Structures are given as structure tokens and as C-alpha cells.
Amino acid sequence: MTTYITTPIYYVNSTPHIGHAYTTIIADTYSRFRRLCGDDVRFQTGTDEHGEKIVQAAEKESIAPREYADRISAAFRDTWPLLDIAPDHFIRTTYPEHIKVVQDILQKVYDQGDIYFSSYSGHYCKGCERFLTEKELVDGKCPDHLTVPDEVSEQNYFFRMSKYQDWLINHIKANPDYITPERYRNEVLSFLSEPLEDLCISRPCSRLTWGIPLPFDKNFVTYVWFDALINYLTGIGYPDGANFIKYWSVAEHIVAKDILKPHAIYWPTMIQAAGLPPYQKLHVHGYWNVDDTKMSKSIGNVIRPGDLVEEYGADTVRYFLLREMSFGRDASFSKEAIFERRNSDLANDIGNLFSRALTMLAKYADAKVPQADEAVVIEEDRALIAAIEKMLADYAACMNGFEFHRALQAVWEVIGMLNRFIVTNAPWELAKDAAQAGRLRTVLYFLAESLRILALVLRPVMPTAANKMAAALGLSKELDKAVLPEAGRWGGILPGTALHVGEAIFPRLEKKAAAPAAPEKPKPQAKAEKKAEPAAQEEDGLISFEYFGKVELRVAEIVAAEKIAKAEKLLKLTVRAPEERTLVAGIAKHYQPEELIGRKVIIVANLKPAKLMGITSQGMVLAAKEKDADGNEQLVLSAVAADIAVGSRVA
């Protein structure tokens, strides 16, 4: 099969922001997924460089439009590798080959009578660079730019778009997946229920020279949409190039909802007038707000992709954007949200799972994949295989349907199951009993094979992290050539494969300390206050119920654990109770970090924070301690007898 996926070509009136990044990450992820499925894929992006706004932006900097366009286009091209985005082709509308294709199509449509010359008066929005109808105005203003359009009267060339209205309505109705999600299909059909006006496609050179000259009248340049949209043809060698013949019939476009109308109405009618078959699908996504506020340069809340990568890394940014937005709807970005996703989903869940499993494989199987013992495979193991098979089916269906957040939810359900699988089977306990050697090998094999499949499905989403996982599993070459669904079948990792335990894939991020607040001046007091009396204690050491009530005991779940350098007895624990907090516990001689993840313990939650080995401990984990007959100390962590929500008070 073949796949041709495109982003819009981005207008060079400003540098890339999070909205541009999201669209392009979607296209890159989808292209990588289709390659994982064995497709021949073409992924294209680029920049749109003509029009009035480019001239205005260049004038502000006292440079030529071409110089300005070169600089901003380079900013887009340079941003994509930072996000592990790898397009097959980057197109610019200033390329000579694009200019020629635009002029050839204009001449063809003009020669068949679908372009005509006429006078026009109307509401012209400089921000949109087009005339707006009365119905599009809201309180007399452009709804997107909130400005009153200029009243402009001039002669221009027009495309007979209305001629193709009935064809477009019939095509959309006959092809339910032509525009997705469905709400945007319905929006387009609603717009088409009214008579469609013809499209102004030119600007007089007396007003604008920075554009592609009309081939049939050098006194005019073409309007930006009749220039920009044709990039999807130019980039694959229209009219007779091998790539055009191979890819055009499967073209899929990804756009944000602000350019739905040009892509769902202008572009299909232009294609039809040019005598070409329509593109296959149009995928439309919503807006990214920032802290629930619309992103805007004027209020200074524009998020730049390079800044995010520098702070969180490309994998985290890609995962967050794909996981946080339900494709088609609006979503909100915040520093708090991406920080929590990084530490919860990536560090605690997949990061800890991978580190724990590899550490145990190194410790109990000499860093090689062991041979599973079929004689000791139990129902829990078969349930894990079934869950992975279901995940693979759900993942593929959701990725194909542009439901990326649901695909990741399916993957994370298996990650949670694997973390519980480790706790339930406790390899550290199996290793103590020689009679359980077969069961230990089986549990470890199941972990290694599960990690292989996770590395496989995460490659389109987080390519760098997935490649690190593959290298640690000794499978870099195998996963480079892997194709679903064959590579997803259980049993793909071979016993004896050498493993390489390295650094953590997703080390936890620490919150940056806030600037210290100015010390408050002491308030004057009329007279000295009497110090609070300590709670009364009986002579035999008993305490009152009131005194005990001041101790806040809570159920907490350990989500991360690591050794502390130069401290043999101490472990650094991250727990949820239900908020996340750090504890330092003197249990390193009794518990390994990997066997603690997922355990529910009891902590003292309101203990005054204390610094141990430079780490602030926000509470204390409870444990019972005794010495055996030989004087050896035994320590057992507190626990609850049944499953209960983290944060529950112990009374």
C-alpha cells in the first residue's frame, strides 16, 4: 500500500509555535505508523511565502520579502529535526518548479472558461487576505482577527467555484470519511447548503507584487490560496512525475480548523476544475490554548517548540501533544500538565517498568533473555498475552482513525498491567527458591517480550526513546525492519539475546524552586503569648486520643525508587498519597528499588520535612523491625490488607 500525508504549508509571517508543531508531529507519527505497517510513504511539509502579510512583515524589518521569507522558512525547516520530525520533502512556494505548476494550472482553468475578469466590492480582511461575506462577519468584524474589514472595490479575476458546488456536495455525501472528524464534515455541508460564491483569485500588481504573476495577465498576481494549495501537487511531480502517479490517489491532508474552508471547499473545486481526482481524506484538528486562554502574540503566551524540547526533550513533547488532545477538539497546554505527564506517564510508568525489568533480567538471568518454561505458564501469563493482542488491535485501529490519544491509552493499560505483573510475581522472591527457577525464567521472558512489543508500538510516537529501548533489548536491527502485524506476534524475542542495561529512559524531572518570598515583618503584639502546653501524657507513657489524632497516617503507593549515592541504608522513594511527594527511607539493606514499585504502604504524611543527604523528605514510611536469633535485623514495610485508594486516612 501507499500513503501520502501532508501538513499545510505554514505561512511565514511568524516563526513556528506549538500549533504548527502539533500538526507536523501528527503527520510524522502517522507516516511512521504507516511505515510500521509496511506502506510506501511520502510525507510532505513546507512554507507558504507569498502575500500581503509577508510584505508588511518584511517592511517592518526594512528587508526584502524574499530575504524575510528565506529566514522564516529556514526557522521551520530547522525546528522539525528538534522534534524528531522527518519529512520526505520540504516545499517552498518560491521554488521555480512550484511557480511553473501554478501558472500551468491557472492557464488550463482559464482556457476552459472557469476563470473570468470582473469588478468586485466587498469586506476585505487583511489578516485573512480575502473578502468576507456578510454572513461571515460577527458584529461587523472578522471573527478570527476581531477587526473591521476594509471596504475595497477593485477589478480582479474570479474562479467559477459555484459551478462545482453540486459536485462537491454529492462527493462529500458519497464518501463519509472524506472529511474527518464528522463534526467538520457536517460544518462543511452546512456551509454548502447556501449558494456558493465564486472565488477571487488575484490581486492587482498596483497593490501587491510579491506573488506569482497570472500567466494570462501580467498586471495581476495570484491570490494566496490558488498558489499555496497547489503545493500538494507540485511536491510530488505533477503532472507526470513518477511520485505523482504513485501518490496522488491516496493523498491525505492534515489541517487545523481555521483553514477548513479553503481545504474542504476551495481546494476540491480547484482540483475538479483542473481535471484531477480529489484527494482521499482531510483530517481536521482543533486549537491549542495556553492555560485555557487562546494563544496570541499580543498577550505573550505563544509557546515555541524549541523551548519545550530544551526543557522536556522531544519524546516528552511528542507524547504530551498526542496524548493530551482528542483529535478534532480543542486542548489546553500548561507547564504543569506536561510536567505531570512526564513524571507520571513516562518516568513512573514506562520508565520505571523498563528499568526494573532490565535490572532483574541482568541480576537473575545474566543480562540475557531466558528460555520460558511452558510447563509453568499460568492463567495470569495467558491473560497478559491476550491483553497485548487486544492492545495491538486497538492501537492499530486508533492510529488509523487519528485517535492518537486512545491508541496511547491502550498502550498504557498494558504498561499498568505489566507493573502489576512484576509485583504479583515478585521475581526477587522466586530467585530465593531453586525450585522456582523455571517460573523465574518464564516471568523474566514474559517481561522481555512485552518490552519488545512496547518498543515496537512506541516507535511512531517517541522514536528516540523507542530506539533506546530497542538497543537495550539487543533488537535495534530487528525493530528497524519490523512490520505489523507480524512483528506484534508473541514470541518474537529469542532466548539468549544479549541485553544492555543503561541509563534511565525517562529520568524524573524536579520542579524548579520558586523564588523565595520576601520575609514578613513580625506583627506587633500587645503582650507576650503563652506558649502552647504540650499534650498531657500519663506517667506510664500513654498518650491521649487527641494527641494521636494529630498524626496524619495515609495510604501511599510507591511509584519510583532509587538508591542514594554514598548512603548504604537509604532509598529515595516517590509516593502518591494522593499528591506526589518524596520520602527518604532507611530500607536499602532490606529492599531493592525494583521490588518496591507498586507497593502500597502507610506513611506519616504530616511529619515536618527534613533534609537527608541533600534530599528533602516529606514524610516517613512505616515499617516493623526485629532481630532474629542470630542478631540479624529484619525489617518489613507496613501495608494494608485490601486494595484501597491512595491517600486514604488510616484511623
Side-chain angles (χ1 to χ4, degrees), residues 164-231:
Y164 299 97
Q165 180 170 3
D166 290 342
W167 166 82
L168 181 57
I169 292 170
N170 292 334
H171 182 75
I172 293 172
K173 288 182 176 179
N175 297 273
D177 293 334
Y178 185 60
I179 301 170
T180 65
E182 186 181 8
R183 67 178 65 88
Y184 296 110
R185 175 179 180 268
N186 294 338
E187 184 177 326
V188 172
L189 287 173
S190 175
F191 186 87
L192 289 171
S193 65
E194 300 288 336
L196 193 60
E197 294 185 356
D198 289 341
L199 180 67
C200 180
I201 66 158
S202 70
R203 298 290 180 266
C205 290
S206 59
R207 181 151 69 90
L208 177 68
T209 58
W210 181 242
I212 298 175
L214 296 183
F216 42 81
D217 192 335
K218 301 300 181 184
N219 294 314
F220 291 83
V221 294
T222 189
Y223 164 62
V224 66
W225 288 113
F226 222 99
D227 166 5
L229 292 165
I230 291 173
N231 90 88

Side-chain angles (χ1 to χ4, degrees), residues 5-25:
I5 190 73
T6 73
T7 71
I9 51 173
Y10 301 116
Y11 207 35
V12 294
N13 62 324
S14 65
T15 52
H17 57 62
I18 192 176
H20 302 121
Y22 176 72
T23 311
T24 318
I25 287 169

Side-chain angles (χ1 to χ4, degrees), residues 33 392-403:
F33 168 69
L392 288 167
D394 292 344
Y395 165 86
C398 290
M399 294 289 277
N400 276 319
F402 277 65
E403 295 181 304

Side-chain angles (χ1 to χ4, degrees), residues 11-13 47-74 92-94 207-211:
Y11 207 35
V12 294
N13 62 324
T47 47
D48 176 9
E49 302 177 23
H50 293 124
E52 288 177 287
K53 285 194 283 189
I54 308 307
V55 174
Q56 293 165 1
E59 286 175 347
K60 285 182 180 179
E61 299 191 21
S62 301
I63 59 176
R66 180 59 191 245
E67 183 182 351
Y68 177 85
D70 286 347
R71 191 180 79 223
I72 305 299
S73 180
R92 299 179 61 186
T93 55
T94 49
R207 181 151 69 90
L208 177 68
T209 58
W210 181 242

Side-chain angles (χ1 to χ4, degrees), residues 427-441:
W428 51 90
E429 297 294 341
L430 295 175
K432 297 175 183 177
D433 185 354
Q436 296 285 355
R439 181 60 191 160
L440 176 61
R441 290 195 304 272

Side-chain angles (χ1 to χ4, degrees), residues 472-488:
L473 293 168
L475 297 173
S476 294
K477 292 181 180 179
E478 288 81 354
L479 290 188
D480 279 343
K481 299 180 289 186
V483 175
L484 289 173
E486 291 82 3

